[in-house]
Amino acid sequence: MQSPLAKAIFRIDGVDGVFFGPDFITVTKAKDEMPWGELKAEIFAAIMDFYSSGVPILSEGVENSTDTVIHEDDSEVRRKQNMTPVVALIKELLDTRIRPAVQDDGGDINYVSFEEDSGV
């Protein structure tokens, strides 16, 4: 494991999974272990202790996994410059209404493409 924060959270009995997003952390508990009420305080304390320590989330010399990082290439930059009003509206709805709801459940969503000719 390459994350000191994940290690700290996994040390808590009843924690089964940890997922880091750009602005959220999702913790999954083992089935029928402790109730969330008991785990929540320990998890919150581990996160607060970690952030107050100033240690980076990933160990030094470790880069983000390349299979989960989305790199913005030249074609994406060109698409942003030529964004149509429909695409701008889709992105605004994703950012303001859909993404927050998906992130509440521990996920995330990204805009990929929209073909105006087909509507897909």
Side-chain angles (χ1 to χ4, degrees):
M1 190 176 312
Q2 302 169 348
S3 170
L5 176 54
K7 285 180 185 178
I9 296 172
F10 273 117
R11 283 188 200 110
I12 300 168
D13 288 334
V15 171
D16 192 47
V18 178
F19 175 76
F20 299 121
D23 58 356
F24 63 91
I25 301 170
T26 299
V27 177
T28 308
K29 75 178 190 82
K31 288 187 177 187
D32 300 327
E33 285 288 324
M34 295 182 195
W36 275 115
E38 293 177 27
L39 286 172
K40 183 179 175 182
E42 279 189 81
I43 293 168
F44 184 74
I47 293 169
M48 295 308 293
D49 290 345
F50 176 82
Y51 279 110
S52 66
S53 74
V55 175
I57 291 178
L58 295 176
S59 299
E60 297 221 7
V62 175
E63 294 184 23
N64 290 336
S65 176
T66 57
D67 65 344
T68 58
V69 176
I70 299 172
H71 296 281
E72 187 169 271
D73 59 13
D74 291 337
S75 61
E76 179 66 22
V77 172
R78 274 187 253 120
R79 271 188 281 202
K80 283 183 179 177
Q81 291 170 347
N82 298 323
M83 191 182 316
T84 66
V86 172
V87 171
L89 180 61
I90 291 169
K91 287 185 171 188
E92 179 183 342
L93 288 171
L94 283 173
D95 289 341
T96 60
R97 297 187 182 185
I98 298 170
R99 180 171 288 118
V102 172
Q103 287 178 337
D104 282 345
D105 287 333
D108 202 3
I109 187 168
N110 290 308
Y111 171 84
V112 176
S113 68
F114 175 73
E115 298 293 328
E116 292 202 29
D117 296 336
S118 65
V120 179

